[in-house]
Amino acid sequence: MSNNVMVHQTNSSVMHTYQRLPLTIVKGKGSYVWDQDGNEFLDYSSGIATCNLGHVPDSVHQKLREQLDNLWHCSNLYEIPTQNKLAALLTENSCFEQVFFCNSGAEANEAAIKFAKKYAKDRGYSERTEIVTFHQSFHGRTGSTMAATAQEKIHQGFTPLTPGFRYLTLNDDGALEAVNNGTTAAVLLELVQGEGGVNTVEQKWIKELSDRCKAADILLMVDEVQTGSGRTGTLFAYEQFGIEPDIMTLAKGLGSGFPIGAMLAKKSCASTFSPGTHGSTFGGNPLATTAGIATLEILLKENFLENVKVNSNWLRNQLKTLQANGEAIVNVKGMGFLIGVELKAEAGSFINAFREKGILVLSAGPHVLRILPPLTTTKEELTQFIEVFQAVLAEMKETTV
Ligand SMILES: *Cc1c(COP(=O)(O)O)cnc(C)c1O
């Protein structure tokens, strides 16, 4: 969060790892949340791209209740039918054939990092000890995923970092040359950098990167923790780039708010993880996989993703009109309903102004406003959002002259 964001003081015994906003949300339904005083907010932050179907979606609610009555937890020592069903849904609707389940985005990326190391070993590439990641990326907060995240502010205080990561620059031709230096086992990247400023990879660049990886048997691993689960207007963002990655990681939107993560692999490399090589107590838990199944069934409904495309294009065009009509907006970035509005001013003051007018939005770096509507948002809500944006812009103009 940027410096301008109002931060409230707390005496809570919860460890102070977050700069929390002065708002306590106690209820959510659809596109709206309510605070403890009953104030209503249009939630265009979606729990950071997690509540993609809005809050407490009916069908997921229903299926979770049924599962609550039957079985909460079952060890991975036994067959778990809901895991098989969710894995089938994921693989039938992607280029991947096998799924490993875990509980979060960082864990999914940890799995991918371990996977890449073993893949190189199994293939006899003893000199391939590095994973290439990109500046301004975000891959998580655990030891290895923090080291994979090429942002100094994330590393501060936590050296020595887990070794084995090499950072290059997104959309840079030099990076294409540098990727295969003989030590690279895999490349890990976000197709739209979520936390790092809503930066989208260029189609030509990623295609070239993918070709070079394939030619050298370097694993291409996409972190779709934020871009997956319909967020960009297709089930997964990679579909829009004409590439087929070897590995994909998912979390955030996959369980509509119920914690779940996944790592998917193509058949050609999936046998890298054999019994005993990786695991998780909770990974693919019956409740979590039930939430995943119910979520995917909605995302895969006829016209659902088509609607996301139509509505997100409408929003993008409206934002571009706002950009053309004033000085405050520098750029409108992103894909589908993962939208970044780059501002001249600090994003924090805009976030506060939006909240005062009943709308929740986020930032991605100091000058980018990140807008993450639920994929189910209506045209009326989008219109309301644009009207409020106009009012915020007018207010900001007044305070700066
Ligand atoms: C949020 C995020 C993560 C980390 O996910 P957690 O569930 O918080 O561990 C990793 N990668 C990307 C792209 C993310 O947006």
Side-chain angles (χ1 to χ4, degrees):
M1 283 283 150
S2 92
N3 305 330
N4 260 357
V5 176
M6 225 192 293
V7 178
H8 79 141
Q9 298 300 313
T10 169
N11 296 319
S12 159
S13 306
V14 174
M15 200 169 281
H16 295 180
T17 54
Y18 307 100
Q19 285 198 350
R20 296 187 198 266
L21 294 161
L23 175 64
T24 305
I25 296 168
V26 294
K27 191 173 168 55
K29 187 69 194 168
S31 302
Y32 292 89
V33 292
W34 289 269
D35 72 8
Q36 54 194 1
D37 303 319
N39 297 308
E40 181 177 276
F41 297 87
L42 177 62
D43 183 7
Y44 273 14
S45 68
S46 299
I48 318 189
T50 294
C51 304
N52 283 3
L53 303 180
H55 291 273
V56 194
D58 289 335
S59 65
V60 184
H61 185 220
Q62 171 77 25
K63 290 221 161 74
L64 273 175
R65 282 182 79 127
E66 286 164 18
Q67 188 62 47
L68 267 174
D69 285 341
N70 290 325
L71 184 68
W72 294 12
H73 179 73
C74 174
S75 154
N76 278 309
L77 294 171
Y78 307 99
E79 283 288 335
I80 300 176
T82 50
Q83 269 187 25
N84 295 329
K85 182 158 184 201
L86 180 56
L89 276 174
L90 286 168
T91 53
E92 280 160 16
N93 292 286
S94 72
C95 68
F96 306 96
E97 280 97 8
Q98 299 262 290
V99 188
F100 172 79
F101 289 111
C102 51
N103 311 289
S104 67
E107 268 182 78
N109 288 329
E110 282 282 349
I113 290 162
K114 276 182 72 174
F115 190 98
K117 290 181 181 179
K118 186 156 185 301
Y119 180 77
K121 294 254 170 5
D122 288 353
R123 304 280 279 198
Y125 304 139
S126 55
E127 70 292 358
R128 295 192 183 182
T129 55
E130 286 185 325
I131 296 172
V132 165
T133 62
F134 293 87
H135 295 293
Q136 287 172 278
S137 56
F138 184 81
H139 299 298
R141 296 288 198 154
T142 60
S144 292
T145 59
M146 168 186 74
T149 296
Q151 293 195 55
E152 212 160 307
K153 68 170 190 209
I154 304 278
H155 299 164
Q156 242 154 47
F158 297 108
T159 53
L161 296 177
T162 306
F165 295 95
R166 191 157 60 92
Y167 309 139
L168 296 176
T169 302
L170 203 71
N171 293 330
D172 171 39
D173 287 340
L176 296 174
E177 297 298 328
V179 153
N180 182 13
N181 70 350
T183 67
T184 309
V187 174
L188 171 66
L189 83 170
E190 304 156 84
L191 296 168
V192 184
Q193 292 182 328
E195 308 300 309
V198 194
N199 311 308
T200 307
V201 298
E202 287 161 12
Q203 174 117 22
K204 197 164 154 274
W205 184 86
I206 188 69
K207 189 83 185 53
E208 175 75 24
L209 181 76
S210 170
D211 288 347
R212 283 177 187 246
C213 285
K214 288 226 166 9
D217 198 15
I218 292 168
L219 292 177
L220 180 63
M221 312 196 295
V222 289
D223 176 348
E224 294 229 29
V225 168
Q226 191 155 161
T227 55
S229 309
R231 180 50 57 187
T232 66
T234 46
L235 194 54
F236 309 113
Y238 80 81
E239 298 167 46
Q240 297 180 54
F241 290 91
I243 57 164
E244 286 201 355
D246 301 294
I247 298 283
M248 172 171 76
T249 55
L250 298 174
K252 289 199 166 85
L254 186 55
S256 292
F258 204 99
I260 182 168
M263 181 193 70
L264 289 76
K266 278 187 99 69
K267 204 196 218 144
S268 52
C269 59
S271 62
T272 299
F273 273 178
S274 52
T277 53
H278 197 48
S280 161
T281 296
F282 291 124
N285 164 295
L287 286 168
T289 38
T290 294
I293 293 165
T295 301
L296 272 181
E297 280 173 350
I298 301 286
L299 293 175
L300 291 167
K301 274 207 169 134
E302 211 178 326
N303 290 330
F304 185 95
L305 291 170
E306 198 48 45
N307 257 327
V308 174
K309 269 186 212 154
V310 170
N311 286 338
S312 61
N313 279 336
W314 183 87
L315 177 59
R316 187 178 315 274
N317 287 332
Q318 293 289 311
L319 290 168
K320 283 190 172 147
T321 305
L322 292 186
Q323 179 189 356
N325 290 347
E327 304 283 300
I329 299 174
V330 179
N331 198 2
V332 179
K333 312 195 283 184
M335 281 171 73
F337 272 140
L338 169 45
I339 296 180
V341 177
E342 194 175 339
L343 301 164
K344 261 198 190 134
E346 294 256 325
S349 52
F350 275 70
I351 290 172
N352 292 335
F354 268 102
R355 192 174 64 254
E356 276 157 23
K357 292 178 167 39
I359 296 185
L360 304 182
V361 291
L362 301 168
S363 63
H367 291 282
V368 177
L369 211 56
R370 187 167 30 151
I371 299 155
L372 299 164
L375 308 183
T376 48
T377 194
T378 63
K379 202 63 177 287
E380 290 71 35
E381 291 159 359
L382 288 164
T383 306
Q384 182 197 345
F385 173 77
I386 288 296
E387 283 166 9
V388 169
F389 208 143
Q390 280 168 325
V392 168
L393 285 168
E395 193 178 288
M396 291 295 168
K397 205 166 170 183
E398 248 164 52
T399 55
T400 51
V401 289

